[in-house]
Each structure stands twice: as C-alpha cells, then as structure tokens.
C-alpha cells in the first residue's frame, strides 16, 4: 500500500509540474505577443502610419524599403495580436497604418488610376512591383475583416483589378512584375531585377505572383467569379512550375544559376496553395505545399535558425539570420499539421517557436529602436561599406506566427 501511495504522490507532482510548465509557456507566448505588438506600435510605425522598415545598426538610422509591403505586414501582425490579446491600441494602430496604405491610391494619372503609388525603393528605384501590393494587401484585407471598414478592401481590390487588366498573361499563368510609376508603362521585356542580363525572357519579367493570395481575398470580398478563376489559374501555374526540390527556381528572388533560394518567397507560394486548397479541395495544391514545407525543413538547422540565403544543395550563407523566415516557415508547417499532412514538421514547428521566443531584444535594451524587437539581421555591402540592418518584418511575422501557435495550443484566449 505504501508503495502505491508513493507512486501516486510522485505522479501527482509530475502532473503538477507539467501543468505549471504549460501555464508558464502559455503566458510566455502571450507576453511575447504583447511585447512585440507594443514595439510595433511604439517604434515600427512612423508619424504617417507607415513602417520604418530597415534599421541600420551601424548608423542608428531607419531606411525605407518597399514601405507599402512592410506596412502591410505590420498591419497583419497587429491585427493578429489584437485577436489574441484584445488590446484595442493594436487595432487602432493597425487602422492608422491601413489608412496610410489606402492613401497611396492613384486618382490623378491618365494610366494608373486605381493603382497604388507603392514603389519598391532601395536599389530598384521608383517602380511599382506587383508583389509589393499583392502581398502587402493580405494584412489590409485582414484589417477589413476585423473592422468591417470596407474602404480597406475596396482600395486593395481596385489595385488588383488594375493589375488584372494590365499585367495578367493568362496563357502562361503569370503577371508582369514591374510598372513605371511615372509613365504607367508595364515592363514586358526587361526588369530592373535582372538589369545585368541583356536578353530577358518572360520569366525574368513575370511570375505567378500569388503572394498574399490577392485574388482569393478579392473573390471573398466581392463574390466576383473572375477573381476566383484567376486565383485558380495562379494555383495551376504554381503546380506546373514547381521544381522537384519543392521550390520555384525559375523566378527571382530565387537564382537558378547559383542554386540559391529566398528565405520567404517560396513559402508565400505554398501559403497561397493552401488557400487554393481551402477554396477548391484540390489535393495537388496541398501536396505541392508539403513539398515546400520539406524544402524549408531541410534549410532549418537544429536550433531553429533559418539563414537569409540558402542553396538547393544544402549549403547556407550564414551572414544573415532570417527571423521572419523562421516564423513564416512555422506558419506553413502549422497549417500543414492542422490539415493532417504535416506530422513530419512537428519538430520544426517547436524549434521555430523556441527560436522566436529566445531571439528577441529585451524591452529594456538601451537602444529604443531595438527594445522589444524580434531578431532578423540582413548584412550586405552598399556604397563601399557594410550595410547591416535589423528588419521590422521579424516582428511582423513573429506576431502572426505566435498568434497562430497560441490558437493552436490554447484556443483564442
């Protein structure tokens, strides 16, 4: 009898400590969401409501880089943080950022009315890039769903309509990438992304461009069947053009010649394929997303890190640590687990959660531009000097990821 009582007591203590650990982890994740959202509210959005984008660690200055896209990501992160915490200040700031985003709509240009003045900037210059708008719009549609303010979705839909009318190449299932913001010209035979290549092909200037599932959102908002048809055509294009490694190496920012692939680009395509699966139930879309999940599982190292530049042969450039990719891959793996086809990724998912929780700047950090930020470094050479930045998107994607994971483990509250 004493032996049985002893075993019972031990088991009770074991269950107690497991429960305490689980409660501590729940609080840790929710606290990380709050700290990241507070940082986004306090630092990432400027006085206009747009993202500050990239923080140069050497100079201590912020630099704009594709601000419409970056702002859309901050909006998405803040909406998710609001959904988990109920903190109205996060939604208020998301609306302020959404108002800036919609203010970019062009209304006084003979060719571009309805489009957004959403220039890429940085080394690309004053050009509108399709994915800047399409993927930037996903957070804007999320904001509309949360606030019921249709203006957000209407502006995004009108931009999508412009791009459908002027940039769609239906016979190849691709959209042209670039528009001159001054002339309204769509670049059909050259791209600033491949300026060093003289004879450019269609795949240098156009891509499936399904980042952000823009036409799925547009269909959900309007009920217009044209948008559904275009979105499905994009999904078919993705299935057709995916390589055996689970990636889309024909398209920048992947580089087929060197074998390097971008840390997030392919995940956007996989994410849209899952949205396509939700819409149609087509198992091919689901399986294609699984293959991308496997590619990023191979890229992730044991402690959860994903680097900015990876290669299909398994090599990694360790100069830059891509926190946004750790989170975004986690979002993909979690969705695949929830669909019942992702058990192989459960270890990767937990590695991502641990990594994101451990790799954040203290809220007491002496540099207020970093205090509370999620970690992402990007190191390049620019104008003869090292250009080392901490990027806002680690926080934006981290908020999305931790919010999704929190719901998965604990429900909405």
């Amino acid at each position: 009898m004493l032996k049985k009582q002893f075993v019972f007591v031990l088991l009770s203590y074991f269950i107690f400590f497991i429960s305490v650990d689980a409660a501590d982890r729940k609080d840790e994740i929710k606290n990380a969401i709050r700290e990241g959202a507070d940082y986004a509210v306090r630092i990432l959005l400027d006085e206009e409501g747009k993202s500050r984008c990239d923080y140069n660690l050497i100079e201590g200055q912020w630099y704009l880089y594709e601000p419409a896209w970056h702002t859309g990501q901050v909006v998405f992160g803040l909406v998710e943080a609001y959904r988990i915490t109920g903190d109205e200040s996060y939604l208020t700031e998301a609306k302020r950022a959404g108002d800036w985003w919609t203010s970019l709509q062009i209304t006084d240009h003979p060719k571009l009315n309805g489009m957004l003045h959403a220039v890429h900037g940085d080394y690309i210059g004053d050009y509108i890039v399709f994915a800047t708008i399409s993927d930037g719009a996903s957070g804007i549609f999320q904001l509309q769903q949360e606030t019921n303010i249709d203006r957000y979705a209407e502006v995004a839909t009108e931009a999508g309509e412009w791009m459908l009318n002027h940039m769609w190449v239906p016979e190849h299932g691709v959209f042209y990438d670039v528009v001159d913001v001054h002339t309204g010209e769509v670049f059909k035979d050259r791209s600033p992304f491949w300026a060093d290549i003289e004879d450019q092909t269609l795949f240098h200037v156009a891509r499936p461009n399904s980042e952000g599932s823009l036409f799925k959102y547009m269909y959900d908002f309007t009920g217009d069947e044209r948008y559904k048809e275009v979105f499905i055509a994009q999904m078919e294009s993705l299935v057709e053009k995916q390589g055996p490694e689970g990636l889309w190496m024909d398209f920048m920012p992947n580089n087929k010649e060197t074998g390097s692939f971008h840390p997030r680009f392919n995940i956007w395509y996989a994410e849209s394929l899952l949205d396509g699966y939700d819409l149609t139930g087509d198992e091919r879309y689901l399986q294609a997303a699984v293959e991308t999940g496997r590619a990023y599982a191979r890229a992730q190292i044991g402690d959860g890190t994903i680097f900015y530049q990876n290669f299909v042969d398994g090599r990694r450039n360790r100069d830059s640590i891509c926190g946004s990719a750790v989170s975004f891959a986690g979002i993909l793996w979690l969705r695949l687990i929830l669909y019942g086809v992702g058990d192989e990724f459960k270890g990767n998912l937990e590695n991502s959660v641990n990594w994101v929780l451990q790799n954040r700047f203290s809220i007491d950090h002496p540099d207020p531009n970093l205090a509370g930020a999620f970690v992402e470094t990007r190191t390049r050479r620019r104008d003869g000097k090292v250009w080392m930045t901490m990027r806002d998107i680690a926080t934006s994607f981290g908020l999305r990821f931790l919010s999704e994971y929190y719901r998965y483990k604990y429900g909405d509250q």
Side-chain angles (χ1 to χ4, degrees):
M1 176 64 71
L2 288 175
K3 184 176 181 181
K4 288 183 179 179
Q5 289 177 336
F6 180 70
V7 170
F8 176 76
V9 169
L10 282 179
L11 184 60
S12 298
Y13 274 112
F14 177 75
I15 292 171
F16 171 76
F17 282 118
I18 289 293
S19 299
V20 169
D21 288 345
D24 287 348
R25 188 59 178 274
K26 179 180 179 181
D27 290 343
E28 181 184 13
I29 293 170
K30 197 165 191 177
N31 185 58
I33 293 170
R34 287 189 179 278
E35 289 183 356
D38 288 344
Y39 169 71
V41 167
R42 186 179 68 253
I43 298 296
L44 289 187
L45 297 178
D46 69 10
E47 61 279 356
E48 292 184 279
K50 70 178 182 296
S51 173
R52 298 183 193 275
C53 301
D54 288 358
Y55 182 64
N56 188 304
L57 291 166
I58 298 172
E59 298 178 356
Q61 294 185 31
W62 289 94
Y63 286 86
L64 293 180
Y65 185 107
E66 205 174 3
W69 180 82
H70 282 254
T71 303
Q73 306 312 316
V74 177
V75 169
F76 205 153
L78 284 174
V79 169
E80 283 286 64
Y82 165 73
R83 289 167 174 164
I84 294 299
T85 67
D87 190 322
E88 291 285 345
S89 69
Y90 302 155
L91 190 61
T92 297
E93 285 298 292
K95 288 164 63 178
R96 192 167 70 88
D99 291 344
W100 176 83
W101 199 92
T102 56
S103 76
L104 299 176
Q105 186 175 51
I106 298 170
T107 59
D108 58 355
H109 192 285
K111 292 185 178 180
L112 287 171
N113 284 349
M115 191 53 153
L116 295 186
H117 194 282
V119 296
H120 187 283
D122 198 58
Y123 72 98
I124 296 302
D126 239 12
Y127 297 113
I128 301 170
V129 177
F130 187 101
T132 300
I133 296 172
S134 66
D135 190 51
S138 56
I140 302 303
F141 279 102
Q142 292 288 328
L143 182 61
Q144 182 275 329
Q145 292 172 13
E146 200 58 50
T147 64
N148 291 315
I149 299 174
D150 287 347
R151 170 70 177 161
Y152 299 127
E154 288 168 354
V155 170
T157 297
E158 287 167 16
E161 177 70 24
W162 192 99
M163 294 190 289
L164 176 58
N165 291 333
H166 296 88
M167 304 177 77
W168 178 227
V169 189
E171 61 271 26
H172 295 286
V174 294
F175 282 89
Y176 291 115
D177 278 321
V178 177
V179 181
D180 188 309
V181 73
H182 302 293
T183 67
E185 175 193 5
V186 176
F187 286 15
K188 299 182 178 181
D189 56 9
R190 67 192 189 282
S191 168
F193 289 103
W194 298 105
D196 57 335
I197 296 179
E198 185 174 347
D199 296 321
Q200 298 184 19
T201 67
L202 177 65
F203 287 177
H204 287 111
V205 300
R207 303 181 298 174
N209 275 319
S210 67
E211 295 96 316
S213 300
L214 174 62
F215 290 93
K216 165 76 161 49
Y217 277 113
M218 290 165 60
Y219 169 67
D220 290 341
F221 177 64
T222 67
D224 190 326
E225 290 290 331
R226 292 180 304 137
Y227 301 147
K228 178 181 178 180
E229 292 169 4
V230 171
F231 182 67
I232 292 173
Q234 288 178 295
M235 299 306 98
E236 291 296 315
S237 183
L238 291 179
V239 170
E240 174 194 350
K241 296 173 176 62
Q242 186 182 43
E245 68 290 301
L247 308 171
W248 288 268
M249 295 302 297
D250 286 325
F251 304 103
M252 67 90 187
N254 294 338
N255 190 313
K256 194 171 187 178
E257 184 176 334
T258 65
S260 69
F261 63 93
H262 190 270
R264 294 179 308 274
F265 167 64
N266 306 277
I267 305 176
W268 276 305
Y269 280 8
E271 183 181 48
S272 67
L273 281 162
L274 294 181
D275 292 339
Y277 175 70
D278 288 342
L279 185 63
T280 67
D282 193 318
E283 293 285 340
R284 295 174 303 142
Y285 304 161
L286 183 61
Q287 188 55 45
V290 169
E291 294 302 323
T292 306
R294 288 172 177 159
Y296 280 86
R298 293 190 294 270
Q300 187 180 51
I301 66 173
D303 69 357
T305 304
I306 296 177
F307 297 99
Y308 190 89
Q309 187 179 42
N310 303 277
F311 296 84
V312 294
D313 63 5
R315 290 178 296 128
R316 302 173 180 91
N317 181 342
R318 295 172 181 256
D319 288 348
S320 300
I321 296 168
C322 195
S324 61
V326 176
S327 290
F328 200 17
I331 291 170
L332 174 62
W333 292 324
L334 177 53
R335 284 187 71 174
L336 292 171
I337 290 167
L338 291 171
Y339 286 123
V341 295
D343 283 358
E344 66 191 271
F345 305 124
K346 286 184 175 179
N348 298 101
L349 174 66
E350 296 302 325
N351 285 342
S352 283
V353 174
N354 292 335
W355 193 96
V356 171
L357 291 174
Q358 293 169 8
N359 288 279
R360 297 180 293 122
F361 286 91
S362 166
I363 58 174
D364 299 322
H365 193 281
D367 185 343
N369 293 288
L370 298 174
F374 291 36
V375 170
E376 170 150 350
T377 62
R378 180 79 169 99
T379 303
R380 298 180 287 168
R381 291 197 63 80
R382 181 171 172 176
D383 299 328
K385 64 182 179 180
V386 174
W387 192 265
M388 182 182 295
T389 56
M390 186 64 57
R391 312 195 76 201
D392 63 328
I393 50 177
T395 301
S396 300
F397 279 88
L399 290 175
R400 282 186 58 191
F401 174 46
L402 292 183
S403 296
E404 292 278 8
Y405 185 83
Y406 188 91
R407 277 191 289 268
Y408 165 61
K409 285 289 188 180
Y410 313 113
D412 286 333
Q413 299 296 328

